[in-house]
Amino acid sequence: MTTHPTAAQHPTALATTVLGSGPALLFAHGAGGSAEANYSPLLPGLAKDHTVIAPDYPGSGATPRATEPLTIDELADAVLAAADAAGARTFTLVGYSLGTLVSVRIAARHPERVTGLVLTAGIVKPDNRLLAVVEVWRLLLEKGDLDSFARFVALTGFSEEFFNGLPNDQVEQFYRLVRDSVPAGTPDQAGVVATADVSADLSRITAPTLVICPTGDALVSPAQSRRLADGIAGAEYVEIPTGHVVMAERPAAWQRLIEDFLSRHGL
């Protein structure tokens, strides 16, 4: 029987935002993001009826960058430890992008603690295209070429409609906003995306699950979300017309989908 380190044994303490009261929602953010960057549009509203627990991975927010390569298991244990530190024995997991890998791993290993699962822009295992995207991310960041990185993120992270809808005189400012918001731990977190595989975890998930697929996602193929929904028994699948960065393009619609799921399942 394979054993895994418990959250209490895990050495990594993540800086964590805790808001509100009520049933717990545990958030897992995406690579190159943070709790604030990925979830700030959602947290105030959800904290009205829930205890919101939103940790930052190493190298994001106030959490120091890791000194060793990150793994999906390490992130899963660290996020679980954040729930423990907040006093949440059970919780609904809300994962975005890399955070879906983290959430699936937690839900498969600790089904007794997970009351629900919401997966947006999800990943099961990186395909060739996603591996190429991650490689470009890491090469540009290694060279310190944040200007090119910002343009690449604009091309892959946002839908054609959103990007082309920016006024011409605001495009350079948009690049600067992307460039200036890159966390130090982005290369490490991207490395987790490149190596993680939760295919074998899907059949072990028992919690009610909602899979939200951004149909205009040019970073993570929408086929990944469909694979998640197909692999998790009873999973609900919905689509939202947006690129990968859902919180920038369709935050209100995203929040409504999550709140509806939580309400219908009494979470």
Side-chain angles (χ1 to χ4, degrees):
M1 177 177 177
T2 303
T3 60
H4 306 285
T6 66
Q9 295 170 324
H10 198 276
T12 303
L14 304 181
T16 302
T17 297
V18 181
L19 301 171
S21 62
L25 301 178
L26 178 61
F27 289 79
H29 67 75
S34 66
E36 180 179 6
N38 288 174
Y39 294 121
S40 60
L42 303 183
L43 298 187
L46 292 175
K48 292 178 181 178
D49 298 306
H50 297 84
T51 299
V52 167
I53 306 165
D56 288 316
Y57 303 151
S60 288
T63 306
R65 188 172 180 179
T67 57
E68 300 290 336
L70 294 175
T71 68
I72 186 65
D73 291 331
E74 181 179 12
L75 286 182
D77 289 337
V79 168
L80 186 63
D84 291 342
R89 177 60 192 168
T90 60
F91 43 78
T92 293
L93 278 161
V94 181
Y96 164 73
S97 196
L98 166 58
T100 66
L101 291 163
V102 174
S103 298
V104 166
R105 181 57 49 89
I106 293 172
R109 288 186 176 175
H110 305 278
E112 76 286 354
R113 300 192 62 179
V114 178
T115 56
L117 193 60
V118 178
L119 307 172
T120 302
I123 304 166
V124 177
K125 177 183 178 182
D127 54 22
N128 290 339
R129 191 175 186 281
L130 183 54
L131 288 171
V133 167
V134 168
E135 184 177 7
V136 172
W137 271 31
R138 300 183 81 181
L139 286 171
L140 291 175
L141 293 173
E142 182 180 327
K143 293 177 179 178
D145 189 354
L146 292 178
D147 288 330
S148 295
F149 179 81
R151 284 160 173 77
F152 188 66
V153 168
L155 287 170
T156 58
F158 298 86
S159 67
E160 179 179 347
E161 292 76 15
F162 180 88
F163 190 27
N164 283 338
L166 293 173
N168 289 342
D169 61 355
Q170 294 182 19
V171 172
E172 287 298 327
Q173 180 184 1
F174 180 66
Y175 292 150
R176 287 195 297 273
L177 288 172
V178 174
R179 181 193 66 199
D180 295 343
S181 65
V182 181
T186 299
D188 310 322
Q189 296 165 20
V192 178
V193 173
T195 57
D197 180 355
V198 296
S199 304
D201 294 325
L202 301 183
S203 63
R204 299 167 59 191
I205 292 175
T206 58
T209 299
L210 173 66
V211 176
I212 302 174
C213 174
T215 55
D217 197 338
L219 180 65
V220 176
S221 170
Q224 294 267 1
S225 287
R226 292 190 287 270
R227 186 178 173 193
L228 275 174
D230 289 343
I232 299 173
E236 302 173 34
Y237 172 84
V238 296
E239 295 181 342
I240 184 169
T242 175
H244 189 76
V245 188
V246 184
M247 67 290 305
E249 295 193 36
R250 298 293 301 274
W254 190 29
Q255 181 163 339
R256 284 194 297 270
L257 289 173
I258 295 172
E259 289 179 337
D260 175 68
F261 173 77
L262 296 173
S263 176
R264 286 188 290 105
H265 290 276
L267 300 172

